[in-house]
Amino acid sequence: IYFMMTGIHSIYVIVGIGLIAWVLYRNNKGHFSSRYYAPVELVGLYWHLVDMIWIFLFPLLYLIG
């Protein structure tokens, strides 16, 4: 179960890296400003959600199990 959950989590990490690259690309094109920054905020929230899932997944499945 640990390796399956780690593999599924890695898919979310790869998606997150792609989203961060997309935001970086759009930022370099000048698409974001102080009035329009919702995609940057949402990608940041997604990335931290993935991080929080790993913080709970690692101890529950690896250290305790």
Side-chain angles (χ1 to χ4, degrees), residues 1-3 5-6 52-65:
I1 292 175
Y2 172 76
F3 292 114
M5 296 302 287
T6 303
M52 284 180 46
I53 290 171
W54 180 249
I55 288 171
F56 289 107
L57 185 71
F58 181 72
L60 286 175
L61 296 177
Y62 184 71
L63 295 178
I64 294 174

Side-chain angles (χ1 to χ4, degrees), residues 7 10 17 31-32 35 38 40-42 45-46 48 52 64:
S10 67
I17 291 170
H31 292 184
F32 303 119
R35 294 180 147 230
V40 178
E41 181 108 8
L42 292 174
L45 287 172
Y46 173 80
H48 288 296
M52 284 180 46
I64 294 174

Side-chain angles (χ1 to χ4, degrees), residues 4-24:
M4 180 184 69
M5 296 302 287
T6 303
I8 291 170
H9 177 74
S10 67
I11 293 170
Y12 286 104
V13 169
I14 292 168
V15 169
I17 291 170
L19 289 171
I20 290 171
W22 174 74
V23 165
L24 182 63

